[in-house]
Amino acid sequence: MISWRLKYRFQHTLIPSQSKPLLKSLTGVAFALCLPAVSQAQDTLLLAKGYVDVAKGKTIEDAAIVVRDNKIVSVGNRGEIDDQTAYRLVNLEDKYLLPGVMDMHVHLSGDAEDNFLESMNYSIPRQTVKAVKNARRTLMAGFTTVRDLGASGYSVIATRDAIDAGEIPGPRIWAVGHALSITGGHCDDNFAPPERHSVAGGVADGPWAARQKVRENIKYGANAIKVCATGGVFSKGTKVGVQQYSDEELAAAAEEAHRRGLVIAAHAHGTDGIKAAIRAGIDSIEHCSFMDKEAIKMAVKAGTYLSCDIYNTEYTLAYGEANGVPQANIEKEKQVSKAQRDSFRRATLAGARMVFGSDAAIYPHGDNGKQFARMVTFGMTPAQALQAATINSAALLKQDSLGQLKPGFYADIIAVDDDPLADISVMERVKFVMKDGVIYKR
């Protein structure tokens, strides 16, 4: 049977829409034999009502984008196209185009809807299946690039490799493998009883142990690194505001990651942990719940990226108890929710570098786009919210061919019904998804 990747390309870029009912009844070789003889070298032309220039923060009416293989060739208007019949035409004339958006903090191997404690006993194969499912769901929501900040047993790294091999659909993934933690800290397995002697895969105590764990993650395929610098909401026996890793340990992990050319993130709610991570040269701070003026000033001066998951608190407080989240963890969520949003607003006003990070898995995957409206509610303009999820996230990952609709950039293109700079909530309802020149949703 032909691969899903080839099938998507045939169904969505080569076959007229009136032929699709027939195609649904065809599979395997028969499907391939019924395809019209269209040259694979033919470029694709996307016509739309307009597109968003995210770098300039403005909408350009009347869009015509030409894609060749997996790259954007030209961006202009239909008047510049001499002969539309020379292209495979994708007519999106009532839609607005944007670059595929990017989420810098997800956990693809977990589901918020599952019972909280029971899910901790899922096998690695079970978690991998979850990651495969959630990768597809995330892509269909318009997120063509994500950074997965922690999963057991390298399950998401395996998922990423399957996506890259064209075996399953999903976004581009930067995956950390195991998140580094101190013994008994956030990111260790603290819910297991002592007699199980359960230790999470990322536990490392001391600077040299932290270096070794970074090296181990890289050995098994990590293309990003994460350390847990403070306590967290969804762990047992930790306080969200308390620093876990010492300055020396954080600096060792950051130096080791950077030596190998990888970007490193720090989970940090508390003020001291945030400052320590910035001093250590860590590239992005996750959550950023309790930021004082000095912490924000340090982040701005150092150029540290901030990732604030300011939507998921609503899901936790509404559904956490029904999903089996212990009351102690719900109370910790109440401690950080307002403080985190206040920190987000103040950091935005101060001009800090902000990226889009949702912490998906704390709420259902595929709902990532709901955070855009909260980012606007709590201090950003719609343009700033989109920039956080495009050009800023691309800059954090050091990717100069992602995050914009420009010639030479990868053809990661999404479409929504209205201008998102006028109504950011349309980002919750993405209608068209192209990643790497292949259409996945139309």
Side-chain angles (χ1 to χ4, degrees), residues 33-55:
L33 292 175
C34 289
L35 293 171
V38 179
S39 171
Q40 289 297 297
Q42 191 176 20
D43 294 343
T44 299
L45 171 63
L46 289 81
L47 298 179
K49 190 173 183 179
Y51 74 94
V52 178
D53 183 329
V54 290

Side-chain angles (χ1 to χ4, degrees), residues 21-99:
L22 173 62
L23 290 179
K24 290 181 180 179
S25 66
L26 299 173
T27 58
V29 176
F31 175 85
L33 292 175
C34 289
L35 293 171
V38 179
S39 171
Q40 289 297 297
Q42 191 176 20
D43 294 343
T44 299
L45 171 63
L46 289 81
L47 298 179
K49 190 173 183 179
Y51 74 94
V52 178
D53 183 329
V54 290
K56 294 180 180 179
K58 61 187 293 187
T59 301
I60 311 298
E61 298 296 329
D62 182 20
I65 296 179
V66 176
V67 172
R68 179 175 302 148
D69 297 325
N70 68 335
K71 294 288 186 70
I72 295 172
V73 175
S74 66
V75 179
N77 59 64
R78 75 192 63 206
E80 298 169 344
I81 304 297
D82 294 329
D83 180 13
Q84 293 184 14
T85 64
Y87 302 90
R88 294 194 298 267
L89 180 63
V90 178
N91 192 334
L92 299 166
E93 290 187 328
D94 60 341
K95 306 271 188 281
Y96 286 86
L97 304 179
L98 303 92

Side-chain angles (χ1 to χ4, degrees), residues 184-186 190-191 231-232 234-240 244 328-329 332:
H186 186 71
N190 300 336
F191 285 94
F234 288 91
S235 54
K236 181 181 179 181
T238 72
K239 296 180 179 180
V240 291
Q244 294 185 165
N329 300 95
K332 286 201 283 186

